Amino acid sequence: MADASNTIYVLNGPNLNLLGLREPEIYGSTTLDEIADMLEDRARELGFAIDVRQTNHEGMLVDWLHEAQAEGVRAVLLNAAAYTHTSIALLDAIKAIATPVVEVHLSDPKTREAFRHISYVGMAAAKTVEGHGADSYRIALEAIASGEV
């Protein structure tokens, strides 16, 4: 990593590897690879590098959040997917690091099932961007670049 302070981690949780196939009426038809390509282009325009990752394992997300702090990255975009609503471990990991975390969601969880209305990630995130489909990631990236986060 050339300049970690200019790098933004984009961390994606469970089932996001199936974007484009899984419930497109909720999550859209854009794949995670397409989102990554769009983000890489936009990040480059804004003078940032990004590191896009996906895992179906909660502990890996925790490890990557710790790594973000250790490496000194600028910020983290985190779409924790279903772990958003269940993971006190992610809440604690975000609270344990100084690296700002922006919570990202393709859909708007507040308009969905009641169990999705609670966000443990959001309790510690610096900002939440939700409900804009794939553009949620771009909006979050631009918030970091503008100094809002």
Side-chain angles (χ1 to χ4, degrees):
M1 198 178 308
D3 180 7
S5 68
N6 226 21
T7 299
I8 298 168
Y9 279 9
V10 182
L11 306 181
N12 295 280
N15 300 307
L16 291 170
N17 55 307
L18 299 178
L19 280 181
L21 301 173
R22 176 182 173 240
E23 299 178 279
E25 67 280 2
I26 296 173
Y27 302 110
S29 58
T30 306
T31 67
L32 190 56
D33 286 343
E34 290 169 335
I35 291 171
D37 290 344
M38 176 268 298
L39 282 176
E40 287 175 12
D41 291 344
R42 187 64 181 128
R44 191 171 22 262
E45 291 169 1
L46 295 169
F48 289 95
I50 60 165
D51 185 341
V52 180
R53 304 174 185 189
Q54 188 278 327
T55 183
N56 292 318
H57 305 283
E58 181 181 28
M60 185 60 71
L61 289 170
V62 170
D63 288 345
W64 287 341
L65 287 165
H66 295 174
E67 179 185 317
Q69 170 79 13
E71 293 293 327
V73 303
R74 169 66 182 87
V76 174
L77 302 186
L78 174 60
N79 184 343
Y83 290 138
T84 299
H85 320 291
T86 63
S87 182
I88 295 169
L90 285 176
L91 168 65
D92 288 348
I94 295 166
K95 288 170 59 175
I97 64 174
T99 307
V101 174
V102 178
E103 176 184 29
V104 176
H105 296 287
L106 297 160
S107 68
D108 182 350
K110 293 184 300 298
T111 65
R112 299 185 56 203
E113 304 93 337
F115 68 85
R116 296 184 195 275
H117 297 183
I118 294 175
S119 171
Y120 289 106
V121 169
M123 291 177 189
K127 180 178 181 65
T128 298
V129 179
E130 58 195 3
H132 301 280
D135 271 348
S136 293
Y137 288 88
R138 180 191 50 79
I139 293 165
L141 175 67
E142 291 172 352
I144 293 165
S146 74
E148 182 182 335
V149 176

